[in-house]
């Protein structure tokens, strides 16, 4: 085989007719499992070497090994970096002395551009110490040019690739573990235990659910909370920070804790949402971040719930007559118009004794229901809810979520996070 120049830097795999010709090891009766190791595809090895004699040496070593390899060639670091951006090789053979890079400078730049490639450094007879230094700096192995034999050469490449894969797998496992730990911390912050009074004049039953959107490895910014204050009033909130990721989730935790703190300190109505907006503006990562929410208060023994809405969907009311959707007057999402002058109006909504409310984030209603742009929306959710109006709280909530997921399954699923909070008031027995 021959080493390709810059004009044909990524040799193609052999044709079926060429593949039918057994390699030397197979003709000698030696089982060649190299392609099995590389999932049946010859590995791409990039040689970065400016010396033509050394390049021919590598070519001969590959030929003598009898193992199929796609061998590319770059004569300078600049050419190599260009090739690495186009395709990541399984292995890079790097000469430490190039026209435009000396010593570990070339190694650092190769690792920065192609972190997933195994790197084997090529050194001279008198530079073995440089090879050891390169391994300490991130290379998988080093080879001394004057001491190379075909089997040792190819074994070094294969071992370097395997070591790199092991390193990447270990790093991915560690990252997954850290994400799981971060999820657990965020979950405790976003999805708290309701703070309820043991001796409240009117008991409230809470059913809460959280489902991450598809392909999300980290909780989003959806949050909820329920608090009963010493006067017996029940306060609840469901909110949704725009975007996904650790910053948005952390902001959701911040808003949830702030809401609980302000409520327990006596903030109500427009003052409460104004304080939350100040927190959001101070803590958000950029001016494009906003949060929608719906907050309510039910005084002890009252047949009416005071509701505020900031850019959030409506909510469901369950009663003996069935299920209805209510969307009270509101204001913009928090952070959209900082210092919103008119404030967020408080609207009284009747709730009969034994009735219930269900608050939710828009992830529940934004799933596509067909090949076009049609979404489930609030009307579709209401239709589902009315079909299952007689179900008890937990089964009612789970059925709505599962049905919404099922409808959207063939059209991309529920892309956004879903938070649901179901509240039901009953006089204590």
């Amino acid at each position: 085989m021959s080493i390709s120049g810059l004009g044909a830097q990524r040799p193609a795999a052999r044709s079926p007719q060429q593949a039918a010709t057994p390699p030397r090891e197979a003709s000698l009766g030696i089982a060649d499992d190299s392609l099995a190791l590389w999932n049946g595809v010859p590995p791409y090895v990039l040689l970065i070497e400016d010396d033509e004699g050394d390049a021919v040496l590598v070519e001969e070593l590959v030929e003598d090994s009898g193992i199929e390899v796609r061998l590319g060639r770059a004569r300078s670091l600049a050419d190599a970096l260009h090739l690495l951006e186009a395709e990541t090789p399984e292995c890079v053979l790097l000469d430490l002395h190039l026209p435009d890079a000396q010593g570990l400078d070339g190694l650092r730049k190769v690792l920065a551009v192609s972190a997933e490639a195994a790197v084997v450094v090529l050194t001279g007879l008198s530079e073995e110490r440089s090879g050891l230094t390169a391994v300490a700096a991130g290379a998988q192995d080093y080879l001394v040019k004057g001491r190379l034999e075909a089997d040792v050469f190819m074994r070094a490449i294969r071992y370097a690739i395997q070591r790199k894969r092991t390193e990447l797998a270990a790093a991915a496992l560690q990252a997954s573990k850290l994400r799981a730990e971060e999820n657990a911390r965020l979950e405790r912050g976003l999805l708290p235990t309701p703070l309820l009074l043991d001796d409240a004049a009117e008991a409230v039953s809470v059913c809460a659910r959280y489902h991450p959107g598809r392909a999300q490895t980290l909780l989003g910014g959806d949050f909820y909370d329920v608090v009963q204050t010493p006067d017996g009033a029940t306060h609840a909130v469901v909110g949704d920070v725009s975007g996904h990721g650790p910053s948005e989730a952390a902001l959701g935790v911040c808003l949830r804790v702030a809401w609980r703190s302000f409520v327990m300190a006596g903030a109500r109505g427009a003052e409460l949402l104004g304080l939350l907006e100040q927190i959001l503006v101070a803590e958000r990562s950029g001016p494009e971040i906003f949060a929608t929410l719906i907050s309510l208060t039910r005084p002890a023994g009252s047949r009416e719930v005071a509701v505020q809405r900031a850019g959030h969907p409506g909510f469901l009311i369950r009663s003996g007559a069935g299920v209805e959707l209510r969307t009270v007057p509101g204001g913009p999402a928090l952070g959209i118009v900082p210092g919103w002058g008119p404030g967020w109006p408080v609207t009284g909504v009747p709730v009969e004794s034994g009735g219930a409310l269900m608050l939710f984030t828009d992830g529940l209603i934004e799933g596509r229901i067909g090949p076009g742009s049609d979404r489930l929306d609030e009307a579709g959710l209401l239709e589902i809810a009315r079909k299952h109006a007689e179900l008890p709280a937990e089964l009612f909530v789970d059925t709505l979520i599962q049905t919404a997921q099922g409808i959207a399954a063939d059209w991309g699923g529920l892309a956004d996070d879903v938070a649901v909070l179901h509240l039901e008031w009953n006089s204590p027995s």
Side-chain angles (χ1 to χ4, degrees), residues 3 19 26 29 33 47 80 96 106 154 189-190 195-196 210 217 239 246-247 264 277 297 318 323 340 383 388 416 429:
I3 298 178
D33 62 348
L47 172 64
L96 290 181
M154 191 54 65
L190 291 168
L195 185 60
L196 304 179
Y210 175 87
T217 57
S247 297
M264 295 181 69
E277 184 175 63
T297 296
R318 303 182 68 193
V323 183
W340 173 246
E383 182 179 349
H388 304 283
D416 202 359
S429 57

Side-chain angles (χ1 to χ4, degrees), residues 259 268-278 293 295 308-310 334 344:
W259 177 87
R268 302 288 185 270
E271 179 191 14
L272 174 60
L273 267 61
L275 289 171
L276 288 175
E277 184 175 63
Q278 291 181 43
L293 64 79
S295 179
Q308 285 179 285
R309 190 173 63 89
L334 303 184
W344 294 267

Side-chain angles (χ1 to χ4, degrees), residues 242-316:
S242 61
H244 291 94
S247 297
E248 289 76 10
L251 182 57
V253 173
C254 181
L255 291 176
R256 201 278 305 167
V257 173
W259 177 87
R260 177 177 282 201
S261 301
F262 292 146
V263 166
M264 295 181 69
R268 302 288 185 270
E271 179 191 14
L272 174 60
L273 267 61
L275 289 171
L276 288 175
E277 184 175 63
Q278 291 181 43
I279 295 293
L280 180 142
V281 171
E283 298 293 335
R284 64 185 175 182
S285 58
E288 73 282 359
I289 302 299
F290 62 90
T292 70
L293 64 79
I294 186 166
S295 179
L296 63 84
T297 296
R298 175 168 174 161
S302 175
R303 299 297 173 86
E304 188 174 86
V305 176
V307 182
Q308 285 179 285
R309 190 173 63 89
H312 205 79
F315 57 98
L316 298 180

Side-chain angles (χ1 to χ4, degrees), residues 49-356:
E49 173 64 76
D50 64 317
D51 187 280
E52 294 300 327
D54 290 339
V56 171
L57 172 63
V58 171
E59 176 186 354
E60 292 175 348
L61 289 170
V62 172
E63 184 72 26
D64 291 344
S65 73
I67 297 177
E68 192 171 2
V69 170
R70 292 191 299 142
L71 189 60
R73 167 83 183 283
R75 293 173 174 79
S76 67
L77 180 62
D79 290 343
L81 297 180
H82 176 73
L83 298 182
L84 289 172
E85 290 177 352
E87 179 181 0
T88 299
E90 279 74 21
C91 183
V92 173
L93 301 175
L94 174 64
D95 181 23
L96 290 181
H97 299 287
L98 296 168
D100 52 352
Q102 294 293 315
L104 298 182
D105 181 55
L107 173 62
R108 295 189 185 99
K109 291 181 179 179
V110 167
L111 292 175
V113 173
S114 188
E116 296 182 355
V119 179
V120 176
V121 167
L122 303 177
T123 70
L125 288 170
S126 60
E127 298 176 320
E128 189 165 357
R129 184 181 297 272
S130 298
L132 293 171
T133 303
V135 171
Q140 273 60 57
D141 205 347
Y142 73 94
L143 293 171
V144 180
K145 294 178 183 179
R147 300 176 185 169
L148 294 179
E149 295 181 4
D151 57 342
V152 175
F153 174 77
M154 191 54 65
R155 187 182 303 119
I157 292 177
R158 296 175 70 175
Y159 286 2
I161 293 174
Q162 287 303 100
R163 280 195 293 272
K164 187 63 178 181
R165 289 180 177 177
T166 301
E167 290 175 12
L168 294 173
L173 182 62
Q174 178 66 12
S176 178
K177 180 180 178 182
L178 292 175
R179 281 196 299 269
E181 293 174 353
E182 183 69 10
N183 275 354
R185 287 192 293 269
L186 290 171
E187 184 173 357
R188 288 193 295 271
L190 291 168
L191 320 177
T193 300
L195 185 60
L196 304 179
L197 301 177
D198 294 331
D199 57 349
E202 189 176 35
V204 57
S205 298
V206 179
C207 172
R209 295 289 188 270
Y210 175 87
H211 287 261
R214 67 169 190 267
Q216 293 297 330
T217 57
L218 191 68
L219 293 174
D222 290 21
F223 62 93
Y224 62 77
D225 203 354
V226 181
V227 170
Q228 280 188 317
T229 45
D231 60 1
T234 301
H235 312 267
V237 66
V238 168
D240 182 4
V241 176
S242 61
H244 291 94
S247 297
E248 289 76 10
L251 182 57
V253 173
C254 181
L255 291 176
R256 201 278 305 167
V257 173
W259 177 87
R260 177 177 282 201
S261 301
F262 292 146
V263 166
M264 295 181 69
R268 302 288 185 270
E271 179 191 14
L272 174 60
L273 267 61
L275 289 171
L276 288 175
E277 184 175 63
Q278 291 181 43
I279 295 293
L280 180 142
V281 171
E283 298 293 335
R284 64 185 175 182
S285 58
E288 73 282 359
I289 302 299
F290 62 90
T292 70
L293 64 79
I294 186 166
S295 179
L296 63 84
T297 296
R298 175 168 174 161
S302 175
R303 299 297 173 86
E304 188 174 86
V305 176
V307 182
Q308 285 179 285
R309 190 173 63 89
H312 205 79
F315 57 98
L316 298 180
I317 300 178
R318 303 182 68 193
S319 66
V323 183
E324 65 173 304
L325 175 74
R326 287 297 301 270
T327 304
V328 300
L334 303 184
I336 293 290
V337 187
W340 173 246
W344 294 267
V346 179
T347 303
V349 177
V351 177
E352 68 181 42
S353 178

